[in-house]
Amino acid sequence: MIRSSIWKLEMSTQYENSDPTPPGSGSCLYDLLCSDTPRWDRPSEADTTSWLLRKETWRSFGPQARLERMLEDTGNRVCADCGSPDPKWVSLSIGVFICIKCSGVHRSLGSHISKVLSVKLDEWTEDQVDGLINLGGNTVVNNKYEAFLPNNLKKPRPDSSIEERSDFIKRKYEMQQFLEGEHTSCRLQPHHRTPSSTLPLPPGYPLLNEKKHSEKQSRHRIGHRFRNSWGRKDSDHLKISKKSNSLAGMVEFVGLIKVNVVKGTNLAVRDMLSSDPYVILALGHQSVKTRVIKNNLNPVWNESLMLSIPENIPPLRVIVYDKDTFTTDDFMGDAEIDIQPLVAAAKAYEKSEIHESMQLGKCVANRDNNFLKDGIINLADGKVKQEISFRLQNVERGTLEIELECVPLTQ
């Protein structure tokens, strides 16, 4: 009885003075299970320290300088999808640097999957750069989205066709086919893993008994998020068929158009006394939208959005909606803008040797285009721009002011 008490006391003392972490292989398992990130996905302590030091150093620079420094990383010096050197475009939502050709395919996926910004043309905020840094860059993202890339499937090359790029990029990011392997034995195994150990799976990773339905569920979740983000039925005012959507990434692009949605004036009332307006821009199969401004009939957005210009140039469609939380968003008017004169002026300037600021052309205001005044196309600081003010159609009242800038692919 005395010996038993002494033994219990000694064991209690040893437990209190010892490290509660299980020894040996159990220690590794304990670390893995208690960690937010599995060990196979975590950098080493040396890498983490180096990354944190670089991150703190970068914070002393402005957003643009920090972007340029990110481009100096080896993995970011080439396009994440086709390997083209010196990429100048970014998928902000995914976290990769891409070339201008791949950026067109990314835009066709929709901003709910890949929001594309230009390193040079867009104005970056500190928060946007912080978010990009936290995603890790091309190498980290490719390790995730190409973790189980089949050996017989080759990535696109810089000279690959638009069809090859579109097929690969959609499978990589939209369908996420390379996030999981054909067999469970192909999955990455952590160091010192015991047979009985169970690792937390990455977010969104399909369970074994869900493999047969993973692709179907993934497609459903993407479409569901897309519909909810717009707050209305896809069939209302902006119809895009599934077949057309599948071909969107195969369109050749001749340039880019940067649209600065400046402001709205005297917009229609859709709530009790006011509205919560936002603007959708659509060009071919692409669409982007501004932020919502609450309770304002004269909103000022000053928000720049980018779209790729297809070879067969369609009109730019501008649609205004009132954001509703529990019901379908209310229509507040639309308009179509012919951007062909702007593109033609930009192409003419590209082939000329003009350097000074000047007027390149204009679109005369008339009943057909509903312009409030002539849309002057100007060359200023080497940029071809056009300011347009117009009345919204199919609504009782309201005008919008936007600024367009055409960017040829060579820039």
Side-chain angles (χ1 to χ4, degrees), residues 206-234:
L207 299 175
L208 292 178
N209 60 355
E210 294 176 344
K211 281 190 132 185
K212 295 181 180 179
H213 308 287
S214 60
E215 183 175 342
K216 182 178 179 181
Q217 290 175 342
S218 176
R219 288 172 180 265
H220 173 73
R221 287 195 298 269
I222 290 171
H224 183 67
R225 287 198 299 268
F226 181 73
R227 286 190 293 270
N228 285 347
S229 68
W230 290 64
R232 57 184 177 81
K233 296 180 180 178
D234 288 341

Side-chain angles (χ1 to χ4, degrees), residues 230 232 236-239 261 277-282 287-290 301 316-322 330-336 390 392-393 400:
W230 290 64
R232 57 184 177 81
D236 293 344
H237 310 292
L238 192 63
K239 296 182 178 179
V261 182
Y278 65 92
V279 178
I280 295 172
L281 303 175
S287 60
V288 290
K289 69 175 184 177
T290 67
W301 285 281
L316 173 68
R317 192 173 181 197
V318 183
I319 317 167
V320 184
Y321 281 96
D322 166 59
D330 298 315
F331 179 71
M332 295 178 65
D334 63 354
E336 288 190 348
F390 56 92
L392 291 170
Q393 301 302 295
L400 277 188

